[in-house]
Amino acid sequence: MKVSDFISEFLSKKTTHVFGGQGGFIVHIANSIDKNDKLKFIPGQNEQASSMAADAYHRVTNKLGVAIATSGPGIINLFQGIACSYFDSIPSLYITGAPVLQQLRLNKKIRQIGFQEMEVVDLVKPITKYAVLIKNPKKIKYELEKALYIANTGRKGPVLVDVPDDIQRMNLNFSKLKGFVKPIKKKAISKSFKLKIKRLYSLIMNSKKPTLVIGHGVKLSNCEKQLKKFIKKNKIPFLTTWACLDMFKFDNELNAGTFGVAATRNGNFVVQESDLLIFLGARMSPQLIGSNPKIFSPKSKKVLIDIDKNEFKNHRLPKISLKINADVFNVVKELSNKSYKNLNLNKWIYKINYLKKMFPICSDQNLKNNKHVDPYAFFYYLNQVLNSKHMIIPDASANLIWAMQGLKVDNQKIFTALNHSPMGYSVPASVGAYFGDQQKNIISIIGDGSLQMNIQELETIKNFKVNVKIFVINNKGYGLIKQTLETWLNSKYTGVDKKSGLSLPNFISISKAYGIKTFNIKNNLNLKSKLKHIINLKGPVLINVNVDPKKRVKPKIDYGNPLHEMSPKLDQNFIKSIVDI
């Protein structure tokens, strides 16, 4: 069998779709994928978009996300998607084609020998769990199996296999090739782990205001059902990171919402008022805890549970009362075996729901029919027309924050690349999401600046008739950067709008040129009925949402302030009446 055919057969047992671009050193693998009845090759206009589509494909299906590209420029284009997968712990496989073996440098001081030759493995080491250049064709089976084992073991992440062109077209007897032997895992629960679970249980039972912080590790460990059952049975309140916003209905009485630098006042008040915070697979990033760890939830004891022991070495951690290096699944399983009959949290639950009602993200002022669409009004009405058949993919910057602040989840899947957070993710991700689940109606929410990063994928969307509604939150520039410049540089704008040098096109005209249906929403007038009509249409649609360029993210933490002091500022006495700091 030809090596490229073996690679295709290998992939067909792990996934049904492969994303990527063409090129001189990937033609054999692309051809083998194309002729495999169990696989469908989805070419993008740019490998960057293909890598993001592969990342999104896994998030929707839990199948392996795969992208391929040729050497040099093709590989460079893959980097954005690889970084998205690495920083969000998404297991994915990237296969790249290299020049023939004889044209690979032996002397590293020589800049380049083969056409488009590139030091791929060294370049991707910081953003992959494993990367290897195949120099011996007999190692291909071993390396593919090893790569996937590493991608899915421990803290998950992307891997890359670089295959020279001449190896791809070699014929081998694969029945005689050695595969990768998985290490034997220890199944016994250690005494140290049992003692830490006992300590955690004691902390919960002695707490009056405990709060679970649910992070992406919960999804990655496949313990969503177990955790939901645990929460419902024992009535323990929780906060979610943005990665888990879609796990629970907004109106769940135990759901305290989200928290962080650009989240909600009610969620931040809950964090600051809690006496016990249990981080379940959620790292303590600056976006969550703020710029000063010392003033983050100062009254609480904090428990950090993470599969990655390196997270405990973070020099910006606040004081941690208990560190548990384990799979979240095992922790939830152990906690679920214990009794919480004497845990009465009714007062704490009442206060959480009181705070949710006191600080709605959308006010009557937001809903007025002015000359622009208010972003908070947009999400207020969008919530009312969505159902469980919809899948929402926000992008980056202000539109992402408005989405995560304003969406009130009711059985919709929501995801994006949160930690790398590149502009332009949402549109190519909708391609991966579509092939992951064609029964869903996809909602892509993207800024006018972000759309420019991958606007070429409108052709891919048109070509495959991707059922996506692309809402372009058009504030004629980079709104969140403007807000940053207003804070730090006295509104000295550079490269953020037309006046400061950044020019953006007419997206309605561009979409029409691609043959995609368009709508233009000018203001809040009849916004709900317009949204209802648009999302019920079949096939791709681009909607220009006219947002005031002066509109800002509110509320938001100013640098250095604690989470309970969001801007616009509230009266200090009023804050003290809510949270005892």
Side-chain angles (χ1 to χ4, degrees), residues 102-146:
Q102 288 188 348
Q103 293 179 17
L104 297 179
R105 294 169 303 151
L106 298 178
N107 184 344
K108 299 301 181 184
K109 292 182 179 180
I110 297 173
R111 188 163 294 187
Q112 188 184 59
I113 294 179
F115 176 64
Q116 295 182 332
E117 183 189 9
M118 183 170 286
E119 202 65 34
V120 176
V121 171
D122 286 346
L123 284 170
V124 301
K125 273 183 179 178
I127 53 172
T128 56
K129 286 192 69 181
Y130 181 70
V132 62
L133 168 64
I134 304 294
K135 292 182 178 180
N136 180 352
K138 294 182 179 180
K139 297 280 285 184
I140 187 67
K141 180 181 179 181
Y142 172 88
E143 290 294 356
L144 284 171
E145 292 177 351
K146 179 180 179 180

Side-chain angles (χ1 to χ4, degrees), residues 353-418:
N353 286 276
Y354 168 75
L355 291 170
K356 283 170 72 175
K357 291 178 182 178
M358 180 176 282
F359 299 107
I361 200 69
C362 183
S363 67
D364 291 339
Q365 184 67 29
N366 296 120
L367 298 177
K368 285 186 177 180
N369 297 326
N370 52 35
K371 66 178 183 179
H372 297 98
V373 177
D374 184 281
Y376 291 109
F378 172 81
F379 287 104
Y380 176 83
Y381 288 119
L382 186 64
N383 287 322
Q384 297 178 33
V385 298
L386 294 178
N387 56 49
S388 60
K389 293 182 180 179
H390 292 100
M391 186 186 309
I392 309 165
I393 313 175
D395 199 76
S397 201
N399 82 82
L400 171 61
I401 298 173
W402 286 325
M404 294 306 191
Q405 287 180 325
L407 286 170
K408 294 184 177 181
V409 181
D410 188 8
N411 293 315
Q412 297 94 23
K413 183 173 181 60
I414 303 172
F415 74 91
T416 190
L418 287 166

Side-chain angles (χ1 to χ4, degrees), residues 246-263:
D246 59 353
M247 272 184 61
F248 300 89
K249 289 187 177 183
F250 175 82
D251 59 6
N252 185 320
E253 67 168 357
L254 301 173
N255 187 354
T258 62
F259 70 101
V261 170

Side-chain angles (χ1 to χ4, degrees), residues 11 15 27 37 51 61 70 84 99 122 138 148 180 201 211 265 373 425 428 449 477 527:
L11 295 177
T15 189
V27 292
D37 292 338
S51 66
T61 64
T70 192
C84 291
D122 286 346
K138 294 182 179 180
L148 290 199
F180 175 74
Y201 176 69
T211 312
R265 290 190 192 272
V373 177
Y425 175 86
L527 184 52

Side-chain angles (χ1 to χ4, degrees), residues 6 43 65 88 105 152 167 240 308 334 337 364 382 391 417 476 496 505 541 562:
F6 171 78
D88 281 358
R105 294 169 303 151
N152 288 284
I167 288 182
T240 66
D308 185 355
E334 291 297 316
N337 292 330
D364 291 339
L382 186 64
M391 186 186 309
K476 294 180 169 51
V496 292
V541 183

Side-chain angles (χ1 to χ4, degrees), residues 210-238:
T211 312
L212 303 175
V213 178
I214 302 173
H216 195 210
V218 170
K219 289 185 175 181
L220 294 170
S221 65
N222 296 315
C223 70
E224 293 178 66
K225 289 183 180 179
Q226 291 86 345
L227 180 60
K228 286 180 178 180
K229 186 177 180 180
F230 170 77
I231 288 171
K232 184 178 180 180
K233 179 181 178 181
N234 301 301
K235 294 188 177 300
I236 299 178
F238 59 88

Side-chain angles (χ1 to χ4, degrees), residues 19 52-54 56-58 60-61 427-437 442:
F19 304 85
M52 292 173 171
Y57 181 81
H58 171 81
V60 172
T61 64
V427 166
S430 69
V431 175
Y434 171 73
F435 285 107
D437 187 350
I442 302 166

